[in-house]
Amino acid sequence: MTTIEQLKPQLEALREDILNAIALSKTRPVLYDVKVKYFGKSGPLTALMKETGKLSSDLKPLWGQLVNSLMQEVQNNYAQKEEQIKQIEIEELMSAQELDVTLSGVKPPMGTYHPLTIVTQQIVAILSRLGYSLRLGPIIESDFYNFEALNIAENHPAREMQDTFFVGPKHVLRTHTSPIQIHSLEKESLPLKVMGTGGVFRCDSDISHLPHFHQIEGLYVAEQVSMADLKGTIRFFVKEFFAKDLKIRFRPSYFPFTEPSAEVDCQCPICQGKGCSLCKQTGWIEIGGCGLVNPKVLESVHVDSKRWQGFAFGFGIERMAMIKYHIGDIRLLPENDLRFLKQFS
Ligand code: DAH
C-alpha cells in the first residue's frame, strides 16, 4: 500500500508549479491558460485526487483534505492575481489617456453680432448721447397707427408708397417705424425725445429691397423746434456714424407726416465726394428722410400744435449697413451665410 509520505512530494511539486505559473502571469489571457492547464478536469490536480484509490481507507480522507486545501490555496492565489492584473490594466489605460493640462486649449468658435445689430447699436448709442430714449412698438399695427394718425388717410396716394401686407381689414404688418412716434406722443409727456427701431414689412423684393427690413427713427417735440435743429442733429449723427466729417444736404421731398419734408444725402463716405461706384459718381448718398412734424400728426393724438412743434427723421438700417460696410447686395444680410457674417467679428 502507498503511504501519504510517498505522495506528498508530488503534491508539493505541483503546488510550487502552480504558484510559480500564477506569479509569472502578467496578462489575463496568460493567467487563464494557467487555470486551464492546472485546474481542469483532466489536469494534474484532478489526477492527484485520483491517487486516493491507492491509499488504505483510513488514509483516504486525510489525502482528500490535503488535496482540497491545496486546491483552495491555489484558487485563492489565482483570484488575487486576477484582481491585481485588472487593477494594472485600469491604471495603464488611465495613464495612456492622461490629460496634459499644459497643452494649449482649443478655442470654441465664437459667434458674432449680425451687422444689422452692430449698426443698430451704433445708431442707438449716438442718438442716446443727444438725449434720445429708445422705444419699441408692435409689429402688427392698426390702420390708425400705421397710416391715419400719420396723416396718410384712406385712399391717400401716399399709401401706394408703401406696398402693405394686410393681416386683417384694419390691421397691417407695420410698413415703417413711424407708428412708434404716435404711441409715444399718445402715452408720454412733452417735451419728448425718443427713437424707435425694429423690423418693418413691405411687399417688395429686389437687389436693394427686402420684404422684411429695419428702420430707426427719431422724434423731437418741444415748444420751439426748427429745421436748423434738425439739420444740426443729422449733421452730428452722420459725423459720428461714419467717423468722418462728411457734408450733408437736404433735398425737398414729401412725406405726409412731415411738413416741410426733406430727403437727406451725405457725402459719399467711400470717395468723400469725388465720385465712385457706391455713389454712382455723384459724390452723394441718400441716407433717409426727415422733416418738421406735420401739425396734423400732433392734432391726431390731441397735442396742441399751436404750442408744440417737432422734427422727425428716419433711416433704413440695411441701407446704413450697406453704405458703411460697402455691401453690394442687400440679400446678403438676411441670408446668414457664416462666411459673410464672420467678417464682422
Ligand atoms: N417712414 C418713412 C418711410 O418709411 C421714413 C421717414 C421719413 C421717417 C421721414 C421719418 C421722417 O420719421 O421724418 O419711408
Side-chain angles (χ1 to χ4, degrees):
M1 268 286 148
T2 314
T3 66
I4 286 195
E5 293 315 311
Q6 284 171 322
L7 290 176
K8 252 190 171 170
Q10 274 186 57
L11 197 74
E12 263 315 306
L14 184 60
R15 177 176 177 273
E16 206 128 301
D17 278 358
I18 299 177
L19 292 181
N20 255 337
I22 291 175
L24 291 174
S25 302
K26 290 208 160 46
T27 63
R28 275 199 280 176
V30 174
L31 186 67
Y32 188 72
D33 286 345
V34 174
K35 187 180 193 170
V36 172
K37 184 173 170 191
Y38 293 101
F39 305 172
K41 279 226 168 67
S42 49
L45 268 169
T46 316
L48 265 189
M49 200 52 127
K50 283 182 185 155
E51 297 287 318
T52 327
K54 295 178 184 164
L55 294 165
S56 60
S57 55
D58 56 331
L59 293 177
K60 277 180 186 167
L62 200 58
W63 182 246
Q65 258 175 31
L66 285 172
V67 178
N68 272 337
S69 77
L70 172 62
M71 197 106 82
Q72 200 65 54
E73 186 190 356
V74 295
Q75 275 174 358
N76 284 346
N77 196 272
Y78 181 95
Q80 262 175 28
K81 184 71 181 188
E82 192 175 36
E83 196 47 47
Q84 234 176 50
I85 293 178
K86 269 190 206 165
Q87 213 53 47
I88 290 170
E89 280 175 357
I90 290 172
E91 272 159 29
E92 277 174 357
L93 198 69
M94 281 174 51
S95 68
Q97 295 179 340
E98 210 174 355
L99 253 190
D100 182 352
V101 292
T102 64
L103 275 179
S104 54
V106 180
K107 262 195 181 169
M110 283 280 278
T112 58
Y113 279 119
H114 192 279
L116 292 180
T117 308
I118 297 172
V119 166
T120 305
Q121 284 173 347
Q122 288 170 349
I123 300 177
V124 166
I126 296 166
L127 293 180
S128 50
R129 280 166 59 205
L130 291 176
Y132 287 81
S133 304
L134 186 61
R135 301 287 180 264
L136 304 172
I139 279 173
I140 294 178
E141 282 288 9
S142 68
D143 188 273
F144 175 78
Y145 290 100
N146 197 80
F147 294 123
E148 226 180 287
L150 288 160
N151 191 36
I152 313 173
E154 219 176 333
N155 303 321
H156 191 292
R159 290 202 182 193
E160 299 278 306
M161 287 161 76
Q162 310 189 350
D163 300 292
T164 311
F165 285 114
F166 283 88
V167 293
K170 282 274 164 199
H171 286 87
V172 301
L173 292 181
R174 70 178 173 202
T175 59
H176 50 177
T177 44
S178 303
I180 300 174
Q181 295 185 20
I182 304 302
H183 290 290
S184 281
L185 285 169
E186 251 183 1
K187 277 189 285 207
E188 302 187 46
S189 53
L190 300 175
L192 182 71
K193 224 178 198 184
V194 288
M195 55 187 153
T197 187
V200 301
F201 303 82
R202 286 184 208 176
C203 201
D204 201 356
S205 177
D206 60 40
I207 190 165
S208 51
H209 294 92
L210 293 170
H212 175 207
F213 60 106
H214 301 79
Q215 293 185 329
I216 186 157
E217 57 184 79
L219 169 71
Y220 174 48
V221 176
E223 281 178 298
Q224 270 202 332
V225 179
S226 72
M227 261 329 238
D229 299 323
L230 171 59
K231 210 163 177 183
T233 299
I234 305 270
R235 205 175 128 58
F236 175 82
F237 166 75
V238 165
K239 196 173 151 191
E240 295 297 305
F241 181 73
F242 292 110
K244 280 183 197 150
D245 200 2
L246 300 172
K247 286 192 179 131
I248 58 160
R249 72 179 185 191
F250 279 16
R251 271 182 294 110
S253 185
Y254 172 76
F255 299 105
F257 32 88
T258 45
E259 181 58 38
S261 301
E263 252 151 330
V264 186
D265 295 343
C266 79
Q267 237 179 3
C268 176
I270 305 295
C271 63
Q272 311 234 10
K274 291 186 195 77
C276 69
S277 62
L278 181 74
C279 60
K280 301 193 181 85
Q281 311 306 328
T282 63
W284 294 96
I285 292 270
E286 184 191 323
I287 58 167
C290 66
L292 294 184
V293 177
N294 191 322
K296 286 186 183 163
V297 172
L298 299 175
E299 297 298 340
S300 74
V301 281
H302 315 294
V303 169
D304 179 0
S305 63
K306 298 239 158 33
R307 179 174 169 203
W308 301 100
Q309 301 174 323
F311 68 64
F313 54 91
F315 307 113
I317 293 175
E318 278 78 357
R319 184 161 177 78
M320 296 304 269
M322 288 172 78
I323 298 169
K324 184 152 188 175
Y325 299 119
H326 217 164
I327 300 166
D329 185 341
I330 197 169
R331 291 168 295 195
L332 284 166
L333 290 165
E335 253 169 15
N336 282 336
D337 184 330
L338 289 181
R339 291 167 304 177
F340 169 72
L341 296 178
K342 269 185 190 154
Q343 300 175 84
F344 302 92
S345 59

